[in-house]
Amino acid sequence: MEPNPSARTYYAPTGGLPGQNELLTGRAVFTEAYAVIPKGVMRDIVTSRLPFWERTRCWVIARPLTGFAETFAQYIMEVEPGGGSERPEPDAQAEAVLFVVEGELTVHLDGTLHRMRPGGYAFLPPKSRWTARNEGSAPVRFHWIRKAYEAVDGVPAPEAFFTKEEDVPPTPMPNTDGKWATTRFVEPDDMRHDMHVTIVTFEPGAVIPFAETHVMEHGLYVLEGKAVYRLNRDWVEVEAGDFMWLRAFCPQACYAGGPGRFRYLLYKDVNRHAKLWVSGSGR
C-alpha cells in the first residue's frame, strides 16, 4: 500500500544510552548565533525532573540565556502512565503552548477536561488554572513552550484554546505552489499574542530562498523528514528529532532534500516593542 502523503507523523525521543562501542563524534554544536541539539544526544543522562510533577522527566532544550536567546524555554516532557501534575506551572506570569507528539495527555482547565492526542495543541495564558495527567497505558510525550507574557496596557490578554493540527488548514507561502506552508494556530495580526508557535512544512525540493535575518528568536524542533538548514555561516544537515535554537538576527535558510516532507515546530516572539532597558537599570 502506498503511504498517505497527507498523514502526519511526529518524532518523539525515548532516551536510553548509546552503546560503549559507538563513536563519540556527533552533530551537536553551540555557537554565538545558534545551537543544534541532535536527537542522538537526548539521552537518559541529560533529563531533568520538575517540582510537583510525578512519574515525569523532561529534556530542557531551550532556556533564557543572557546574550543568546532570552525570551522562552522549551521542554520535551515524558509522563509515564499515572503521572502528571496538579501544580504544573510555578510562574503565574508564564504563558504556555503544549503540543503532543506521542500518547495521550489529559488536561483540566477551569473545570473542563481536554484529551490531547498526537497533533493536539493547547495555548494556556498566564494565570491559567490547569493540570496535566497521563490517564493512558503508555507514556505521553509533548512539547511545553513557556514564555513570560508581555502585557500591554489597553490590549487584553489572550484566551486559552485547544485544537489539533488536522483542524487548522496550512497557509501556503506566496509563489510556492503550496510546497512551503505554515500551519498558524493564531492569527498573525492578533495583538493579544506575543508569541507564535506554528508548524512549517516543506515538500521535497522546497526552499527558503533567502537568508532570513530578523529580530525574532527561534526554536525549531524537527517533527518529520530531513533537510539542509543554513544557520549563520554554516549549512547543517538536520533530521526528525533534532532541535535548532537561534538567537535574534541569526541568518537562516533551508533546502528540503527529501525523499519525504520536512516539517518542524517553530517558536518565535512577536508583536511587541523591543525593550530599551534591562530590569534593575534604575529606569
Side-chain angles (χ1 to χ4, degrees):
M1 179 180 295
E2 292 293 326
N4 181 358
S6 65
R8 297 171 177 86
T9 61
Y10 309 99
Y11 186 92
T14 57
L17 286 173
Q20 291 287 297
N21 60 342
E22 294 188 26
L23 293 176
L24 176 62
T25 303
R27 296 180 292 114
V29 62
F30 191 96
T31 75
E32 76 284 354
Y34 71 88
V36 176
I37 304 176
K39 66 179 183 181
V41 304
M42 296 187 196
R43 302 292 188 169
D44 293 350
I45 199 170
V46 299
T47 57
S48 297
R49 308 285 174 171
L50 297 174
F52 309 114
W53 282 83
E54 302 92 34
R55 301 180 60 83
T56 299
R57 64 178 185 173
C58 71
W59 289 269
V60 178
I61 55 177
R63 51 152 287 187
L65 289 179
T66 300
F68 191 69
E70 302 179 341
T71 63
F72 76 109
Q74 184 164 346
Y75 310 155
I76 304 175
M77 303 289 290
E78 181 183 81
V79 183
E80 296 293 331
S85 178
E86 301 300 307
R87 297 174 58 185
E89 176 55 73
D91 188 342
Q93 301 307 311
E95 60 185 329
V97 163
L98 310 180
F99 183 78
V100 177
V101 290
E102 188 173 79
E104 182 177 293
L105 180 69
T106 300
V107 176
H108 287 262
L109 176 66
D110 296 329
T112 301
L113 181 150
H114 304 270
R115 297 194 187 279
M116 301 178 64
R117 297 177 177 85
Y121 183 108
F123 171 76
L124 302 166
K127 301 180 182 179
S128 293
R129 301 176 61 182
W130 61 284
T131 66
R133 187 66 55 183
N134 180 356
E135 298 178 349
S137 59
V140 59
R141 298 180 176 95
F142 63 96
H143 287 257
W144 181 9
I145 297 171
R146 302 171 65 231
K147 182 182 184 297
Y149 182 66
E150 297 181 54
V152 176
D153 186 29
V155 177
E159 299 172 348
F161 68 87
F162 289 76
T163 185
K164 50 186 181 295
E165 185 193 358
E166 64 189 67
D167 291 342
V168 182
T171 301
M173 297 296 285
N175 305 314
T176 65
D177 294 325
K179 294 180 179 179
W180 172 14
T182 301
T183 302
R184 296 188 173 103
F185 298 94
V186 171
E187 292 297 326
D189 60 356
D190 187 342
M191 289 296 110
R192 298 176 304 165
H193 288 271
D194 66 351
M195 72 169 175
H196 289 166
V197 179
T198 64
I199 294 176
V200 181
T201 300
F202 293 91
E203 298 298 331
V207 300
I208 297 176
F210 69 107
E212 291 188 34
T213 307
H214 51 64
V215 69
M216 286 84 77
E217 298 175 351
H218 276 338
L220 297 87
Y221 180 83
V222 182
L223 297 169
E224 179 181 357
K226 63 178 183 176
V228 181
Y229 219 92
R230 174 69 181 267
L231 297 169
N232 201 15
R233 303 179 184 90
D234 308 316
W235 284 98
V236 179
E237 288 187 293
V238 292
E239 64 178 344
D242 292 349
F243 180 71
M244 292 170 276
W245 187 15
L246 283 62
R247 67 180 297 175
F249 300 109
C250 175
Q252 60 182 287
C254 174
Y255 180 86
R261 296 174 305 178
F262 175 63
R263 306 174 69 239
Y264 54 81
L265 186 71
L266 172 70
Y267 160 88
K268 64 180 177 181
D269 51 309
V270 296
N271 296 345
R272 294 295 185 265
H273 284 289
K275 292 184 174 65
L276 301 182
W277 62 89
V278 297
S279 177
S281 64
R283 179 65 179 270

